[in-house]
Amino acid sequence: MRTWIRNVYLATTTLAAGMSVTLRYFVQSFRRGTFAAHFAYPERPVPVRPRYRGFHRFDLTTCIGCDKCARACPVDCIYIDKEKAPPPHKGFVVTGFKIDYTKCMFCALCVDPCPVDCIFMGSNHDISTYTRDGCVVDYAKLPLAVAWGQATLNPTAVQESKRVSLPVWTKTAEAAKPVADGKA
């Protein structure tokens, strides 16, 4: 009986101590105000530090397709599609530069080995999507003004770059005919 009373007392005191901490933080949050009221988040961007490692910035015009950034990535989240350059030119033409942000850990190890400095870490932190497909950004399909520079990477432009212009499947005249006798 004595053990049971001690256990009930111990449970009550620890619960009260935990709830007092929760109540203290609850009251402090009302005193200091909300995050959105302090930074006016949707209208103005949240200030970030100069060395913040946000979503990548990529310049397709200077990329030589050397694959050094993809090889340096420890989680293999960079996918580069390239073709051989036309005969008067040498090297490769980059046709796709995809980064899968579901895998990326924002370590910036892909930035250092680039010989032409065409990739670096930007200051954007808020590309939100409803699907996992939206987390794979193809920088080769983005407009150059969106993909390169210190400005923020626009989520609307990222979604527009994923839009398929042609239908994947169209119904042919043969597939539209119904079967008359019920047998296939």
Side-chain angles (χ1 to χ4, degrees), residues 141 159-169:
K141 290 185 181 177
Q159 282 302 111
E160 287 298 318
S161 72
K162 295 177 184 309
R163 190 173 299 245
V164 178
S165 58
L166 299 174
V168 177
W169 179 80

Side-chain angles (χ1 to χ4, degrees), residues 112-149:
D112 295 330
C114 183
V116 291
D117 293 331
C118 65
I119 184 171
F120 67 93
M121 303 304 283
S123 60
N124 194 11
H125 59 85
D126 57 349
I127 299 180
S128 57
T129 61
Y130 289 109
T131 62
R132 290 187 183 181
D133 296 335
C135 295
V136 179
V137 178
D138 190 358
Y139 285 90
K141 290 185 181 177
L142 288 174
L144 189 64
V146 174
W148 178 247

Side-chain angles (χ1 to χ4, degrees), residues 11-152:
T12 307
T13 55
T14 55
L15 182 66
M19 291 307 286
S20 68
V21 170
T22 304
L23 184 62
R24 186 171 62 236
Y25 280 108
F26 179 71
V27 170
Q28 283 178 1
S29 68
F30 277 112
R31 247 187 255 147
R32 79 171 162 250
T34 61
F35 175 80
H38 183 65
F39 287 112
Y41 171 64
E43 288 81 23
R44 285 185 280 147
V46 176
V48 294
R49 300 284 181 192
R51 293 186 58 179
Y52 175 75
R53 294 187 302 215
F55 287 92
H56 296 84
R57 312 301 289 156
F58 177 70
D59 186 10
L60 185 65
T61 60
T62 60
C63 183
I64 58 175
C66 64
D67 282 339
K68 288 185 179 180
C69 57
R71 282 181 278 169
C73 183
V75 291
D76 295 328
C77 67
I78 300 175
Y79 309 105
I80 300 175
D81 301 327
K82 58 187 175 184
E83 296 173 354
K84 209 147 175 67
H89 301 290
K90 294 180 180 178
F92 297 100
V93 175
V94 177
T95 58
F97 189 90
K98 298 181 192 93
I99 298 179
D100 188 359
Y101 285 110
T102 59
K103 295 179 184 179
C104 184
M105 59 184 184
F106 298 97
C107 62
L109 291 174
C110 58
V111 176
D112 295 330
C114 183
V116 291
D117 293 331
C118 65
I119 184 171
F120 67 93
M121 303 304 283
S123 60
N124 194 11
H125 59 85
D126 57 349
I127 299 180
S128 57
T129 61
Y130 289 109
T131 62
R132 290 187 183 181
D133 296 335
C135 295
V136 179
V137 178
D138 190 358
Y139 285 90
K141 290 185 181 177
L142 288 174
L144 189 64
V146 174
W148 178 247
Q150 292 286 354
T152 59

